[in-house]
Amino acid sequence: MSDKTVALPEAGKHAGFLKANLREYGMLLSLFAIMLFFEFVTDGTLLRPLNLTNLVLQNSYIVIMALGMLLVIITGHIDLSVGSVAGFIGAIAAVLMVRYGVHFIPAAIACLAVGALIGAAQGYWVAYFKIPSFIVTLAGMLVFKGLALAVLQGQSVGPFSPTFQKLSSGFIPELFPDAGKAVIMISSEMPELLGICDRICVMNGGAFVGEFDRAEATQEKIMRVIVRKGERLVDRDLERKLEEQLQGEAHP
C-alpha cells in the first residue's frame, strides 16, 4: 500500500474555494450584483459622487444604528427597540433645541446620555435576570414609541436652527479655501492674455492645438501654433473635397 498525492488542477482549486466560501461571501456578492444592476438601470447615476453623497447623508443614522446592532447580534441577542429608542431620543433633541432653545452640542450630549441609560437599563434585565432580549426589547419598543408621541404631543417640531441644519446638508469647511480654484478666461486679445493668465490653452477648429505656461508663452509661439493647425485644416478640407469629386466622377 503506497501513499500517493494527487495534485488538483488550478481550476478545480478555485472552484472548491468558491463552493466552500459561497455562503460566507453570499451577501457581499449579492450587494455587488445589486450595485451593478442599478448602475446599469440608472445609466451610471448610482455611483456618481453627488448621488453617493446623498446616500450617505440620507442613511447616516441607519449606519450608526447598524453598528450598534452588529455588536448585539454578534453576542447572540437581538434588539427590537432600536427604532423606537432612536425616535424617542430624536424627539427629546427636537424639544430641547426648538422649544427650550438649547444649543445642539449640549442637546446631543444629553441625548447620548439618555440613550446610554436606556441601553444599560434594558441590558440589565437581560444580563442579570436572564430574560430573553426578544422580550425585553419588544416591551421597550412599545414603551418608547408611546413616550416619543407623548414628548412631541402628537405634533411636528420645528424649525431647527440653520447651524443645526448644516450638519446634514452642509460640508466641512476647507482647510485651504483658496486652493483648487481657477478662473477661465476666453479671449482673442494677445496682450491681455499674456498679461493676466498663468496658463494659456490655444483652440482652433473646436479642438485644443497647444498649451503654454506663462513663462514660455509668447505671441509668436501662439500664432505659430494657430497657423500650423490652420494649414492642416485647410489641407484636410482640400483632400476631402478632392475625394468627393473623384467619387462623383467614378459614379456618374
Side-chain angles (χ1 to χ4, degrees), residues 17-44:
F17 176 80
L18 291 176
K19 290 181 180 179
N21 297 275
L22 184 60
R23 184 174 180 180
E24 296 181 5
Y25 296 103
M27 293 298 295
L28 184 61
L29 295 175
S30 300
L31 177 62
F32 185 70
I34 292 172
M35 291 174 60
L36 288 180
F37 173 76
F38 282 103
E39 176 72 7
F40 175 76
V41 171
T42 59
D43 294 330

Side-chain angles (χ1 to χ4, degrees), residues 174-219:
E174 298 180 4
L175 295 177
F176 305 99
D178 295 331
K181 295 182 180 179
V183 177
I184 299 176
M185 178 180 178
I186 302 176
S187 177
S188 60
E189 300 294 332
M190 292 288 182
E192 186 178 21
L193 293 173
L194 294 173
I196 296 177
C197 299
D198 294 324
R199 178 175 296 178
I200 299 176
C201 296
V202 184
M203 294 186 65
N204 192 345
F208 285 100
V209 296
E211 183 176 350
F212 302 95
D213 291 331
R214 184 173 185 175
E216 62 178 358
T218 62
Q219 187 170 347

Side-chain angles (χ1 to χ4, degrees), residues 16 22 34 57 60 66 82 100 117 119 135 140 154 201-202 215 222 238 247:
L22 184 60
I34 292 172
L57 293 176
S60 56
V82 60
Y100 296 99
L117 182 63
I135 303 299
C201 296
V202 184
I222 296 174
L238 291 175
Q247 290 177 358

